[in-house]
Short mmCIF file of all heavy atoms in Angstrom, two decimals:
data_model
loop_
_atom_site.label_atom_id
_atom_site.label_comp_id
_atom_site.label_asym_id
_atom_site.label_seq_id
_atom_site.Cartn_x
_atom_site.Cartn_y
_atom_site.Cartn_z
N HIS A 57 8.70 3.64 4.41
CA HIS A 57 9.20 2.62 5.33
C HIS A 57 9.35 1.35 4.53
O HIS A 57 8.41 0.90 3.90
CB HIS A 57 8.20 2.41 6.47
CG HIS A 57 8.79 1.66 7.61
ND1 HIS A 57 9.13 0.35 7.52
CD2 HIS A 57 9.10 2.05 8.85
CE1 HIS A 57 9.61 -0.05 8.68
NE2 HIS A 57 9.60 0.96 9.50
N ILE A 78 1.65 -2.08 0.23
CA ILE A 78 3.08 -2.41 0.35
C ILE A 78 3.70 -2.35 -1.03
O ILE A 78 3.28 -3.06 -1.95
CB ILE A 78 3.28 -3.79 0.98
CG1 ILE A 78 2.68 -3.82 2.38
CG2 ILE A 78 4.76 -4.16 1.00
CD1 ILE A 78 2.72 -5.18 3.04
N LEU A 79 4.71 -1.50 -1.16
CA LEU A 79 5.47 -1.36 -2.40
C LEU A 79 6.84 -2.01 -2.22
O LEU A 79 7.39 -2.00 -1.12
CB LEU A 79 5.68 0.11 -2.74
CG LEU A 79 4.45 1.00 -2.88
CD1 LEU A 79 4.88 2.45 -3.03
CD2 LEU A 79 3.63 0.57 -4.07
N PRO A 80 7.42 -2.51 -3.31
CA PRO A 80 8.78 -3.02 -3.22
C PRO A 80 9.77 -1.85 -3.06
O PRO A 80 9.43 -0.69 -3.32
CB PRO A 80 8.99 -3.74 -4.55
CG PRO A 80 8.06 -3.07 -5.49
CD PRO A 80 6.87 -2.64 -4.66
N GLY A 83 13.22 2.85 -6.76
CA GLY A 83 13.47 4.29 -6.81
C GLY A 83 12.20 5.11 -6.75
O GLY A 83 11.08 4.60 -6.85
N LEU A 91 2.58 3.01 -7.10
CA LEU A 91 1.50 3.51 -6.25
C LEU A 91 0.28 3.87 -7.09
O LEU A 91 -0.85 3.53 -6.74
CB LEU A 91 1.97 4.71 -5.43
CG LEU A 91 0.94 5.30 -4.47
CD1 LEU A 91 0.46 4.26 -3.47
CD2 LEU A 91 1.52 6.50 -3.75
N ALA A 105 -10.84 3.64 -0.92
CA ALA A 105 -10.85 3.78 0.55
C ALA A 105 -11.72 2.70 1.20
O ALA A 105 -11.42 2.23 2.29
CB ALA A 105 -11.33 5.16 0.96
N VAL A 112 -4.79 -5.59 2.90
CA VAL A 112 -3.44 -5.24 2.50
C VAL A 112 -3.36 -5.45 1.00
O VAL A 112 -3.79 -6.48 0.48
CB VAL A 112 -2.39 -6.14 3.20
CG1 VAL A 112 -0.99 -5.85 2.70
CG2 VAL A 112 -2.46 -5.98 4.71
N LEU A 113 -2.83 -4.45 0.31
CA LEU A 113 -2.57 -4.58 -1.12
C LEU A 113 -1.06 -4.58 -1.30
O LEU A 113 -0.38 -3.63 -0.91
CB LEU A 113 -3.19 -3.43 -1.93
CG LEU A 113 -2.89 -3.48 -3.42
CD1 LEU A 113 -3.61 -4.66 -4.07
CD2 LEU A 113 -3.25 -2.19 -4.11
#
Side-chain angles (χ1 to χ4, degrees):
H57 194 292
I78 299 175
L79 303 172
L91 182 59
V112 176
L113 177 69

